[in-house]
Amino acid sequence: MKLKLRDLLMVSAVLFLGFIAYSNFSTLAKNWTSTNCYKNIQYRLVQDGKKGKRFRWKLQFKNNYHQLVTFNYGITEEENNFLTNQRKTLQAHQTSEPVEIYTDQQKFYVLVDGLSFEVSGQPTEPCDTE
């Protein structure tokens, strides 16, 4: 049996892509943290190096409710800045794809508010954590 260069390149490419997929999967944080407002919405963060002077992170959300949810979220490095300027929709028990975010500091806050069980985002639910 004679191996061709093309076959060797194909096998190498498949192994390389498999290694990359495994590496990305294995670097995700194992621990989920409940948000301050909704105990059934959790998130996890993984630091993913730096880009210039900024820190790069991967952020994921998980919906532990038994139904679809929509909610607002935001990232801030200032303790008194409560702007949530992003929107997320997750099906029951769905985990979001990682979102890449950048910060100037390693200390920052993940804010979640405006949770609704409707696609329209209305009505919103009050916080359920104590």
Side-chain angles (χ1 to χ4, degrees):
M1 182 163 123
K2 189 175 179 183
L3 287 177
K4 296 180 181 177
L5 181 59
R6 175 182 53 96
D7 296 335
L8 223 81
L9 288 174
M10 288 297 287
V11 169
S12 297
V14 168
L15 290 173
F16 179 71
L17 291 174
F19 175 74
I20 289 174
Y22 174 76
S23 297
N24 287 338
F25 177 77
S26 65
T27 60
L28 289 178
K30 306 290 186 254
N31 297 331
W32 290 92
T33 303
S34 291
T35 64
N36 286 342
C37 197
Y38 305 104
K39 64 184 173 201
N40 286 324
I41 299 297
Q42 295 180 306
Y43 69 93
R44 66 181 173 186
L45 286 162
V46 174
Q47 187 174 348
D48 190 31
K50 289 179 97 174
K51 186 168 186 176
K53 294 184 178 184
R54 302 191 78 199
F55 295 96
R56 182 175 50 223
W57 304 86
K58 291 192 179 182
L59 169 65
Q60 277 186 294
F61 289 100
K62 182 166 60 168
N63 173 13
N64 291 320
Y65 288 101
H66 299 295
Q67 57 192 318
L68 173 140
V69 296
T70 60
F71 56 89
N72 300 326
Y73 74 95
I75 307 301
T76 183
E77 295 173 275
E78 301 170 24
E79 194 170 356
N80 297 322
N81 182 2
F82 299 113
L83 179 64
T84 53
N85 57 0
Q86 303 291 321
R87 190 93 178 131
K88 183 69 71 181
T89 300
L90 295 172
Q91 297 294 328
H93 303 287
Q94 181 184 2
T95 299
S96 72
E97 291 296 318
V99 175
E100 202 168 84
I101 61 171
Y102 293 88
T103 62
D104 293 324
Q105 305 172 31
Q106 285 190 303
K107 181 182 179 184
F108 61 94
Y109 303 92
V110 177
L111 310 170
V112 172
D113 65 10
L115 183 132
S116 176
F117 296 113
E118 302 293 331
V119 174
S120 67
Q122 296 297 324
T124 59
E125 300 293 320
C127 289
D128 61 13
T129 59
E130 296 176 17

